[in-house]
Amino acid sequence: MSTIESVVQETRVFPPSEETVKKATISGMAAYEALCKEAEQDYAGYWARLAREHVTWKTPFTKSLDESEAPFYKWFPDGTLNVSYNCLDRQVEAGKGDKVALIFEADDGKVTKVTYKDLLARTAKFANALRAQGIKKGDRVLIYLAMSVEGVVAMQACARIGAIHSVVFGGFSAKSLEERILDAGAVAVITADEQCRGGKNIPLKPAVDEALNLAVGHNVKTVFVVKRTGGACNMVAGRDVWYHDIVAGQSETCEPEWVDAEHPLFLLYTSGSTGKPKGVQHSSGGYLLHAILTNKWTFDLKDDDVFWCTADIGWVTGHTYITYGPLACGATEIVFESVPTYPDAGRFWKMIQDHKVSVFYTAPTAIRSLIKANEGNPATHPRNYDLKSLRILGSVGEPINPEAWMWYYNNVGGGRCPILDTFWQTETGGHMITPLPGVTPLVPGSCTLPFPGIQATIVDETGHELEWGKGGFLVVKKPWPSMIRTIWGDADRFKKSYFPADFQGKLYLAGDGAMRDAKTGYFTIMGRIDDVLNVSGHRMGTMEIESALVANPLVAEAAVVGRPDDLTGEAICAFVVLKQSRPSDEDAKKIAKELRDWVGKEIGPIAKPKDIRFGENLPKTRSGKIMRRLLRALAKGEEITQDVSTLENPHILDQLKQNA
Ligand code: WTA
C-alpha cells in the first residue's frame, strides 16, 4: 500500500525533452491522440493498416479480424507469413546482412558478435536439422537453455519450420519441466550440458534426463544438446544428439514454412490462480505485429541504436524484446549470459559503456538490488562509467517504486533519459500501458497511458466503467492482435480466466487492480487481484507452492501468501501444519530448510518461501475455510485488529507469528 499512496501523492512530472520529441517516431501528444482516435473509431481497420505497413506477408490478408467465435479472436486470418523470415531474411534482403544482430556477452565477459547474415545461416542450419529429425509444423519443441546465441537460434529455427516452441526458464526444476513436457506434448527438447552464471557452471542436462524419466507416456524422440562448457554430460543413445554434430552438415538455406497468421508461434507457461501452470498460446501474425510496433514506438528503436533487454528468454519479455521484436526491427541487441552482480555490481554499467548501449530495459528488482550494492560500494556506482550513449530506459515486471525510479533516472539516465514503465503480461504479448518517449510526461511510479490502440480501462465487479480516481479491475475493452489465443489444451480455463461471465464475456480481465489519476487519467497498477505473487518480477501462483509443500511427506496442510519486501517486491510466506506435532524452535529451523529445498526441487529456486511458520493448524472459519486475510496480516507482522469472532481456533494466531 505504501507504494500506491506515494504514487497517488506523486507530484513530480518529467515532460519529454525537445530533443527526444524531435527524434521520436511517435512525436508529440497530438500524434499519440490521433492514433488512439483512429483505433477507437475502427479498431479492426487500425490494426490492419499497421499490419500491412510493418509485417511482410507471403499472402496478404483480406480480413482484419474474425470475431465470430469470440473470445477466440482471429487476427488477419487469411494472411500467411513466417516470423523468422520477418526477423532475418527481411533484414538481409534490405541490405543489412553485415549489420550486427546480436552482441553476446558471456558470463566471463567474452564477446561474440553475430551479423544478420550469420544469424540467418545459423537459424537455417538448425531449422534443417530439426526437419531432418522429423520435426514438422505444429509439433511442440521444449527449449531449456540459458541465455545464448543458440537460444535465440533455437527459437527462430522453430518459427522457421512452423514448430511451436515452449521455452522453460533454466531455473525451473526437473519436476516443472516434466509437467510442461507432458502438457505441451513435446516431441523434442533443446538444452545444453551446463549453464554459466556468476563464475559457476550449473548442470542443465540432468534436469532434462530426470524430467523425461518422470514423464510417463511422453512423446520426446530427440534431445538436442548444446555443448556450453564441455563438462560431464550423460548422452542417451538413440535419443540425445549434440547440437554441433547435427548442424555440421546442414545447408545454410532453409525455405521457411509459410503459416497462417493464427498459427501458434509459441506456448509459454505461466502461473495462474490454480495449482497448474497455464500454457499461454500466442499467434504468429498478431504477436509479431505488436512485437514490432512496441519496439518501434515504445523503445523508439532506430537503425543506429544498441538495444539491451536484460530479461531471460525463459520469460515473455525475452521473447518479445530479445528474440522477436528487436530483430524484426533490424536492431543491434545484446544477449547477456551472466548476472548483474558478477564479477561486481558495476557489470550493467560497464556493459552499457563498452557496447554503447542506447536503449536499456530492465526490471525494478534489478534496480533495487543494484541501488543497495552501488550505494554500499562507491567503486561500482554508475557515476564511474560513461553512460552518455543511453537515451531511453525501460522498466518491466512489477511496479517500480518512486525512489527506485528517481535513482534510475538520475544515476543511470543522468537526468536525460525518459524511463518507460511498461505494464504488460505474458498473456498480452507486448506493452499495454506505457509512456512513449516523445509523447508522455512521466510521473514516477505510474505506467501512464495505454499504448495506441489498446483500449484499457477500469471497471467494478459488475463490469461497469469507473470514473477516474477510483480503484478497480484493469480490463481491455477491445481485442488486440497480440493477445493470448487460448490456454493450451484448456479453452474453458481460457474463457473463465480472461473473459469471465461477470463481464458478459466481453472484457479482457488482466488480473491486476489499478486506478487512474483523477486529473490526468494516468494508470497506476496496484498489484494482482488473484492468488498470484510477484517475486522479483517472477509470477508465482500461491496454489502451486502450496501443492508443492503438501506433496512433502512431513506436511499435512499449507497456505502461502505474499508480503511486501524491499528488495524482491513481494516475498513468499508459507504457513505450514506438519503431520507430526508443531516442532520445537530448533527442529523448526531444520524442517524449514528441508521444505525450502523441497520446493526448490519441486518448482525451482525462485519459488522457495522466504518465511516459513509452523502452527498446529491454520486459522479457519467454523466452516473450515482458511482465513487468508489473517495470514496476510500475520505475514506482514501486523497486529490482528480484524474481527476474529468467526475463527474456530484463535489461539493458533500466536503460534503463526513466529518465523522458523
Ligand atoms: C506485473 C511480465 C506494475 C502485473 C511482462 C502483471 C507490472 C504481471 C508491470 C505480469 C508494471 C508487469 N507495473 N506491474 N510495469 N509489468 N507487472 O506475465 O502484476 O511475467 O499482471 O509478464 O506482472 O507478469 P508476466
Side-chain angles (χ1 to χ4, degrees):
M1 275 320 260
S2 65
T3 310
I4 300 159
E5 275 154 22
S6 54
V7 170
V8 172
Q9 289 157 15
E10 183 62 59
T11 51
R12 288 170 289 201
V13 180
F14 299 83
S17 72
E18 238 170 78
E19 202 191 328
T20 313
V21 177
K22 221 160 69 205
K23 179 156 186 171
T25 299
I26 309 298
S27 177
M29 191 52 96
Y32 167 79
E33 282 171 349
L35 288 167
C36 296
K37 196 154 156 227
E38 183 189 344
E40 255 167 60
Q41 284 167 350
D42 172 14
Y43 56 96
Y46 165 83
W47 292 114
R49 171 177 77 74
L50 295 166
R52 288 192 186 98
E53 286 171 14
H54 295 269
V55 173
T56 304
W57 298 89
K58 178 72 171 173
T59 327
F61 59 89
T62 60
K63 192 175 169 50
S64 174
L65 174 64
D66 176 356
E67 301 187 82
S68 60
E69 289 167 57
F72 300 93
Y73 296 96
K74 297 190 188 79
W75 283 94
F76 324 123
D78 61 351
T80 66
L81 79 164
N82 181 278
V83 171
S84 146
Y85 174 87
N86 270 270
C87 295
L88 305 175
D89 310 58
R90 180 157 88 146
Q91 315 306 350
V92 175
E93 286 167 18
K96 286 192 187 177
D98 292 321
K99 180 174 177 177
V100 172
L102 308 180
I103 302 173
F104 174 69
E105 186 166 315
D107 194 48
D108 63 4
K110 185 165 175 269
V111 175
T112 314
K113 293 188 178 171
V114 184
T115 64
Y116 273 96
K117 214 166 57 198
D118 295 342
L119 190 57
L120 173 57
R122 290 174 71 156
T123 299
K125 284 178 105 167
F126 190 49
N128 287 327
L130 290 172
R131 276 191 181 145
Q133 293 293 314
I135 297 164
K136 53 183 195 313
K137 179 179 162 190
D139 284 345
R140 275 81 59 208
V141 174
L142 199 128
I143 300 176
Y144 187 63
L145 276 172
M147 291 300 288
S148 51
V149 174
E150 288 81 4
V152 176
V153 167
M155 293 165 80
Q156 287 284 347
C158 287
R160 195 161 192 91
I161 66 165
I164 305 167
H165 62 68
S166 184
V167 185
V168 177
F169 176 58
F172 276 115
S173 67
K175 197 83 202 310
S176 296
L177 259 178
E178 175 220 350
E179 204 174 6
R180 286 154 175 78
I181 287 170
L182 286 176
D183 191 82
V187 301
V189 178
I190 306 168
T191 188
D193 52 356
E194 298 186 310
Q195 58 175 327
C196 307
R197 279 172 84 80
K200 288 194 206 87
N201 295 350
I202 306 158
L204 268 179
K205 176 68 169 33
V208 174
D209 292 340
E210 196 186 333
L212 289 174
N213 283 338
L214 290 168
V216 180
H218 71 77
N219 295 323
V220 173
K221 308 274 182 312
T222 317
V223 177
F224 299 88
V225 188
V226 175
K227 190 178 265 183
R228 172 64 186 91
T229 62
C233 182
N234 166 50
M235 296 292 278
V236 176
R239 185 195 74 183
D240 300 355
V241 292
W242 286 107
Y243 179 96
H244 57 266
D245 283 344
I246 203 116
V247 297
Q250 297 294 345
S251 159
E252 290 188 355
T253 55
C254 171
E255 176 66 12
E257 183 82 40
W258 304 105
V259 298
D260 293 344
E262 280 298 316
H263 181 70
L265 179 64
F266 66 85
L267 310 178
L268 188 57
Y269 285 83
T270 190
S271 297
S273 33
T274 68
K276 197 173 164 244
K278 13 188 199 191
V280 172
Q281 179 181 319
H282 276 288
S283 71
S284 298
Y287 170 81
L288 177 68
L289 173 63
H290 207 58
I292 294 173
L293 283 181
T294 51
N295 275 283
K296 284 190 182 166
W297 292 0
T298 312
F299 295 129
D300 197 36
L301 279 192
K302 297 275 161 45
D303 222 23
D304 54 355
D305 275 312
V306 177
F307 180 61
W308 184 12
C309 165
T310 67
D312 189 286
I313 52 166
W315 310 111
V316 72
T317 308
H319 285 57
T320 311
Y321 300 103
I322 296 177
T323 301
Y324 292 115
L327 296 176
C329 295
T332 295
E333 62 171 330
I334 308 240
V335 174
F336 177 49
E337 183 183 45
S338 190
V339 294
T341 47
Y342 181 76
D344 59 44
R347 182 76 183 258
F348 275 4
W349 326 134
K350 179 163 188 312
M351 282 180 61
I352 292 171
Q353 169 179 287
D354 289 353
H355 302 297
K356 302 206 167 32
V357 172
S358 54
V359 183
F360 180 66
Y361 191 31
T362 195
T365 188
I367 300 290
R368 285 193 302 266
S369 69
L370 291 174
I371 295 176
K372 207 169 150 196
N374 288 162
E375 293 301 333
N377 175 11
T380 60
H381 197 279
R383 68 174 160 259
N384 301 315
Y385 301 83
D386 178 1
L387 305 180
K388 280 200 276 304
S389 56
L390 286 171
R391 67 181 192 96
I392 286 173
L393 302 174
S395 168
V396 61
E398 50 178 320
I400 177 161
N401 43 309
E403 301 76 43
W405 196 103
M406 287 307 305
W407 189 89
Y408 192 24
Y409 185 77
N410 287 325
N411 293 285
V412 183
R416 302 174 294 109
C417 309
I419 296 182
L420 313 174
D421 177 359
T422 61
F423 167 83
W424 61 294
Q425 310 173 293
T426 305
E427 293 88 341
T428 69
H431 303 156
M432 297 300 278
I433 306 180
T434 177
L436 301 185
V439 172
T440 327
L442 307 169
V443 172
S446 167
C447 53
T448 75
L449 297 171
F451 189 83
I454 301 298
Q455 301 190 31
T457 191
I458 294 170
V459 298
D460 65 17
E461 57 284 349
T462 61
H464 285 103
E465 256 179 86
L466 289 168
E467 60 194 86
W468 293 1
K470 290 210 167 120
F473 301 95
L474 179 64
V475 296
V476 186
K477 292 191 284 186
K478 294 287 184 241
W480 70 100
S482 68
M483 64 195 295
I484 172 176
R485 291 305 192 267
T486 189
I487 292 175
W488 182 256
D490 202 344
D492 201 43
R493 188 173 175 199
F494 163 75
K495 273 213 276 204
K496 285 198 182 117
S497 311
Y498 303 110
F499 292 91
D502 303 355
F503 301 163
Q504 293 75 48
K506 288 207 161 65
L507 301 175
Y508 169 82
L509 177 68
D512 282 288
M515 71 178 276
R516 299 187 75 161
D517 182 82
K519 279 204 222 75
T520 58
Y522 274 18
F523 285 80
T524 295
I525 306 297
M526 290 150 66
R528 300 288 306 191
I529 49 163
D530 50 12
D531 295 317
V532 171
L533 307 182
N534 193 326
V535 183
S536 298
H538 298 151
R539 254 169 89 165
M540 297 298 327
T542 51
M543 295 268 279
E544 261 173 284
I545 307 169
E546 286 168 12
S547 317
L549 282 167
V550 294
N552 183 289
L554 292 175
V555 176
E557 206 177 2
V560 169
V561 300
R563 66 158 173 79
D565 183 276
D566 282 347
L567 217 54
T568 56
E570 270 186 297
I572 301 167
C573 184
F575 295 89
V576 176
V577 182
L578 297 178
K579 286 179 187 156
Q580 68 192 57
S581 58
R582 187 168 177 266
S584 66
D585 287 357
E586 203 179 307
D587 282 353
K589 285 209 164 44
K590 230 177 66 212
I591 299 172
K593 178 173 184 312
E594 210 177 306
L595 293 182
R596 279 191 191 100
D597 291 344
W598 172 270
V599 173
K601 270 199 78 121
E602 287 283 298
I603 305 175
I606 49 175
K608 285 185 182 180
K610 186 156 186 183
D611 302 349
I612 296 188
R613 301 170 184 205
F614 296 101
E616 284 159 20
N617 203 337
L618 297 173
K620 288 180 187 152
T621 61
R622 282 177 224 282
S623 59
K625 222 170 123 60
I626 298 172
M627 295 181 77
R628 284 175 185 270
R629 61 180 171 84
L630 285 183
L631 292 179
R632 280 189 208 105
L634 285 170
K636 278 193 228 164
E638 286 174 1
E639 275 310 308
I640 305 289
T641 51
Q642 314 171 29
D643 180 14
V644 291
S645 58
T646 53
L647 196 61
E648 168 92 42
N649 45 6
H651 72 279
I652 56 120
L653 293 182
D654 279 337
Q655 296 178 355
L656 294 173
K657 281 181 187 158
Q658 214 182 326
N659 235 333

